[in-house]
Amino acid sequence: MSENIIEMNKINKWYDDFHVLKDVDLNVKKGEKIVICGPSGSGKSTMIRCINRLEEFQQGSLMVDGININNNIKNIEAVRKDVGMVFQHFNLFPHLTILENLTLAPTRVKRVPKEEAELMAMEYLDLVRIGDQAHKFPGQLSGGQKQRVAIARSLCMRPKVLLFDEPTSALDPEMVKEVLDVMVKLAKEGITMLCVTHEMGFAREVADRVLFMDEGRIVEENNPNDFFDNPKNERTKNFLSQIIH
Amino acid sequence: MNWFIYEFPKWLKKNLFNTPVNSVVSLFIISLGLKASMYILDWTFLSAVFTGDASTCRESTGFCYPFIKEKFPFIIYGFYPRELIWRPTLAMILLLSSFFYVKEPKRWNKYSLWILSSGFFLFFFLMRGGLFLEVVTNDKWGGLPLTLMLSSIGIIFSYPFGIMLALARRGNLKILKTLSITYIEMIRGVPLISILFMSSVMFPLFLPEGITIDKLLRAQVAIILFVSAYMAEVIRGGLESIDKGQYEASNSLGLSYFQTMRFIIIPQAIRVVIPPTVNTAIGMFKDTSLVLIIALFDLLNTTKSSLKDSDWLGFSVEAYVFVAIIYYVFCYAMSKYANRLEEEFGIKSR
């Protein structure tokens, strides 16, 4: 029990009449890397956005690192401190410099002294190989650089879990690799990761489990080699044949 | 010189006379422009009267400078005691210098609010007196200092109120939302004149006997309340323009609602709406002239009153042109400042 950092239990969610998540069960162990794929509209983004409560759900229960996610704003804020998220469209703060983007949350949420936060920020910027851009504004960076900054920004909160919501889908093809490289590096350092992506190479390299979602359900789940080489479910087979050319 | 001989004709041909139609239009506009500038030159200079009195002025068709010279103290300072005029002068200089200091974005820090406050403190101290200065009650205040005071305090205070109203209107709390919408729609549905009237005529009736609130203060509050509603809508426009992803990123980092608003959303929203904000500010700077209907002597009212002097009847054109120039200088300065801010922030965040 205790080594599960995320426990999702029969989660159901509706947008008005539309049933987005149907009895989703998912347990994630500390340090586990999970890749989630599936057609658009299958609920994969919605599911991981439930974990830091960017989306509400109507039924079921969700524990993150022992904290029950409900309507209690204290619990939500506590969970968000421990769960970092990287978005498809980066969502950097355009009016702040790169360095300020990174230090804002540590200084304001965790009350880390400014100098300390800046040192830590520079460390993470170096980790994503972007230290020389610290005093630029997000608008002056390329897409790949922005996404690496976004990753560094969430690392600055020293999260226990990192969520990636299609982190490479909005990037030009030549920039995908630089972002994936950083993600692989992180994965190898042992952080718990849930990643919505269709990057199969990445999934094979780092994932402990690959989930396939369709129409709000987890349809298939397996280790990456078996998942890609001999999928069991018909819908998984169809989906894989469409994305692998 | 070389440029004038070789390049200028080319420039003319390329920009003004490149097609027959353009040539005709250019000639027409140039002749109109020449005619207008000749007229203005004649009026302000060639036929103008520089020294003399009202009768010399009446014999000429030009601008009457002696009138401005004679009425200058009254137009600018109203009924402020003549021998103490150095005080409002210094007060305005100090207030404007504090604005001038604070306006630079690179100086925006925790001290800017102090500098602004001390600017206002010195302004009021010099205007009103006290301690070692003779007291001048505010029914004697008037002219430019009054206009500056009403509009700058109006703009500065309406801004935070506007932000609060806008946040309330977009927030999740039903009661605050309803209150904010009611307030904004009520204030916007009523002309400023009627709010000023209410503040000066009706409001005192509701107060218990013996309690009076200063007329100038009531007018100032009325202006702040009025402009807040407009600022609120301007700022709401900015809030609407911020991408949902900004809220999500901020929330996912663990920032609370107020932190998200203070550090992420409002700074961006305010930048987006610099042009309409300045539009509102310029509008309100000129709208303060409406206080003349509750018998406050702002810049426009002193100008109007200066025309009633029986020795100097009939110089309204001079008076209004003079005061128009003063209004223009301030409005143009605001508009220039807004452009600078836009550029500065635009470069940074793009």
Side-chain angles (χ1 to χ4, degrees):
Chain A
M1 252 325 233
S2 63
E3 54 177 329
N4 281 342
I5 193 159
I6 296 171
E7 291 180 5
M8 268 188 192
N9 201 348
K10 296 236 175 303
I11 286 195
N12 279 283
K13 176 178 171 65
W14 288 264
Y15 286 122
D16 297 322
D17 287 342
F18 182 57
H19 201 168
V20 215
L21 295 178
K22 299 169 186 161
D23 286 334
V24 174
D25 283 313
L26 176 67
N27 290 334
V28 181
K29 291 194 186 70
K30 220 169 230 166
E32 219 179 353
K33 281 88 186 132
I34 292 183
V35 164
I36 302 146
C37 56
S40 70
S42 60
K44 51 197 193 306
S45 285
T46 311
M47 181 186 79
I48 68 162
R49 286 156 63 91
C50 284
I51 296 171
N52 64 352
R53 207 30 158 57
L54 289 182
E55 301 281 353
E56 302 178 20
F57 49 86
Q58 283 83 23
Q59 281 174 17
S61 71
L62 174 53
M63 300 275 281
V64 177
D65 198 26
I67 303 169
N68 189 9
I69 305 217
N70 47 26
N71 285 322
N72 186 337
I73 187 80
K74 282 270 168 308
N75 286 2
I76 295 172
E77 282 178 7
V79 162
R80 283 174 179 170
K81 276 186 216 175
D82 287 341
V83 178
M85 185 162 210
V86 175
F87 299 86
Q88 182 178 1
H89 295 288
F90 331 130
N91 297 344
L92 296 179
F93 307 131
H95 62 301
L96 302 177
T97 63
I98 301 307
L99 192 60
E100 288 166 339
N101 263 278
L102 268 67
T103 54
L104 181 72
T107 51
R108 298 294 168 180
V109 179
K110 289 184 164 177
R111 312 246 160 241
V112 176
K114 195 173 166 230
E115 294 73 30
E116 201 179 307
E118 282 179 357
L119 278 178
M120 176 174 70
M122 287 309 297
E123 235 170 75
Y124 284 119
L125 282 178
D126 287 336
L127 178 82
V128 300
R129 292 192 305 277
I130 215 159
D132 49 337
Q133 318 274 9
H135 296 285
K136 289 194 179 166
F137 285 86
Q140 297 164 294
L141 303 188
S142 72
Q145 290 174 320
K146 282 184 199 171
Q147 194 60 299
R148 286 185 278 148
V149 170
I151 293 171
R153 178 176 69 180
S154 50
L155 289 175
C156 278
M157 288 297 280
R158 301 203 192 274
K160 294 174 180 153
V161 180
L162 257 185
L163 309 173
F164 291 84
D165 190 0
E166 307 207 23
T168 56
S169 308
L171 295 176
D172 291 334
E174 74 271 22
M175 291 169 181
V176 170
K177 189 174 176 298
E178 63 188 56
V179 172
L180 288 179
D181 284 348
V182 168
M183 289 168 62
V184 170
K185 196 148 97 183
L186 285 179
K188 298 202 164 137
E189 286 180 10
I191 192 167
T192 312
M193 269 164 81
L194 278 83
C195 185
V196 174
T197 185
H198 295 151
E199 295 295 335
M200 297 308 145
F202 173 76
R204 275 184 197 269
E205 188 172 352
V206 305
D208 298 309
R209 270 191 286 164
V210 180
L211 309 185
F212 177 73
M213 283 188 77
D214 192 26
E215 292 176 357
R217 284 180 210 281
I218 298 178
V219 178
E220 181 161 354
E221 107 171 55
N222 214 331
N223 66 62
N225 288 334
D226 290 340
F227 181 88
F228 292 117
D229 298 339
N230 64 76
K232 296 183 190 72
N233 191 294
E234 209 47 47
R235 279 182 286 182
T236 318
K237 283 179 197 162
N238 268 334
F239 178 74
L240 288 176
S241 69
Q242 274 162 13
I243 62 167
I244 299 171
H245 307 287
Chain B
M1 205 59 216
N2 270 344
W3 178 85
F4 195 77
I5 297 167
Y6 299 111
E7 298 296 321
F8 187 58
K10 284 187 203 159
W11 182 89
L12 278 181
K13 183 148 171 43
K14 188 173 158 230
N15 291 292
L16 300 182
F17 301 102
N18 50 354
T19 66
V21 180
N22 262 3
S23 306
V24 174
V25 173
S26 299
L27 280 177
F28 179 68
I29 291 174
I30 289 171
S31 64
L32 267 186
L34 280 177
K35 203 151 177 148
S37 32
M38 286 307 287
Y39 176 79
I40 291 171
L41 184 71
D42 180 63
W43 187 61
T44 58
F45 195 71
L46 299 177
S47 323
V49 178
F50 292 95
T51 50
D53 56 14
S55 54
T56 355
C57 280
R58 287 205 183 88
E59 283 160 18
S60 160
T61 53
F63 194 91
C64 178
Y65 287 100
F67 171 81
I68 300 296
K69 204 176 156 207
E70 171 76 18
K71 291 298 170 192
F72 183 85
F74 184 76
I75 292 178
I76 300 291
Y77 300 107
F79 295 105
Y80 210 89
R82 279 295 158 272
E83 66 282 6
L84 298 176
I85 266 175
W86 67 271
R87 277 164 51 183
T89 314
L90 186 59
M92 283 192 289
I93 291 173
L94 288 173
L95 187 64
L96 291 175
S97 329
S98 76
F99 294 165
F100 219 77
Y101 182 85
V102 167
K103 82 183 171 65
E104 294 301 320
K106 61 175 179 288
R107 296 205 197 104
W108 289 351
N109 53 34
K110 55 193 165 196
Y111 304 113
S112 15
L113 214 58
W114 281 107
I115 286 167
L116 207 55
S117 319
S118 33
F120 276 107
F121 175 80
L122 291 170
F123 176 85
F124 283 112
F125 174 64
L126 284 165
M127 287 298 285
R128 188 171 183 287
L131 297 178
F132 50 89
L133 292 176
E134 192 184 323
V135 171
V136 179
T137 50
N138 69 24
D139 51 318
K140 296 240 175 9
W141 301 5
L144 189 55
L146 191 77
T147 293
L148 282 183
M149 178 199 111
L150 287 173
S151 49
S152 55
I153 294 186
I155 291 165
I156 290 170
F157 276 81
S158 64
Y159 208 62
F161 286 135
I163 291 177
M164 284 189 259
L165 283 167
L167 288 180
R169 184 164 187 170
R170 275 177 52 89
N172 293 326
L173 284 172
K174 262 267 157 13
I175 305 174
L176 285 181
K177 191 172 178 159
T178 318
L179 279 176
S180 162
I181 293 177
T182 317
Y183 178 83
I184 291 170
E185 296 306 333
M186 262 173 54
I187 297 279
R188 285 204 306 175
V190 176
L192 177 56
I193 290 195
S194 60
I195 295 178
L196 286 169
F197 254 130
M198 277 192 263
S199 80
S200 97
V201 183
M202 277 170 60
F203 182 65
L205 301 179
F206 296 117
L207 288 177
E209 213 152 324
I211 294 181
T212 52
I213 292 177
D214 187 74
K215 181 163 88 174
L216 186 58
L217 179 63
R218 277 183 273 136
Q220 180 73 76
V221 170
I223 288 174
I224 293 173
L225 294 180
F226 183 77
V227 184
S228 300
Y230 283 83
M231 284 293 187
E233 286 298 276
V234 167
I235 291 163
R236 185 168 69 97
L239 293 175
E240 307 271 356
S241 77
I242 305 299
D243 183 59
K244 186 167 122 267
Q246 294 288 308
Y247 291 90
E248 291 181 348
S250 179
N251 287 338
S252 76
L253 287 166
L255 286 115
S256 68
Y257 171 81
F258 283 103
Q259 288 172 328
T260 302
M261 288 302 160
R262 169 153 176 231
F263 299 113
I264 309 297
I265 307 301
I266 291 172
Q268 292 186 60
I270 283 175
R271 281 162 210 216
V272 175
V273 294
I274 290 173
T277 306
V278 175
N279 202 20
T280 308
I282 289 177
M284 86 134 335
F285 181 73
K286 293 181 291 180
D287 278 353
T288 54
S289 57
L290 289 171
V291 296
L292 72 90
I293 60 130
I294 55 170
L296 289 174
F297 282 84
D298 79 308
L299 188 58
L300 193 65
N301 203 7
T302 53
T303 309
K304 268 184 73 170
S305 308
S306 72
L307 298 171
K308 291 183 188 140
D309 184 344
S310 52
D311 293 340
W312 290 91
L313 284 177
F315 294 104
S316 52
V317 176
E318 278 81 353
Y320 285 125
V321 166
F322 176 64
V323 77
I325 291 171
I326 298 180
Y327 274 108
Y328 177 79
V329 166
F330 280 99
C331 293
Y332 186 70
M334 280 193 259
S335 144
K336 267 278 170 229
Y337 175 51
N339 285 348
R340 271 236 5 242
L341 281 187
E342 264 180 82
E343 253 167 51
E344 192 132 333
F345 291 141
I347 290 165
K348 275 187 174 178
S349 60
R350 213 156 286 144

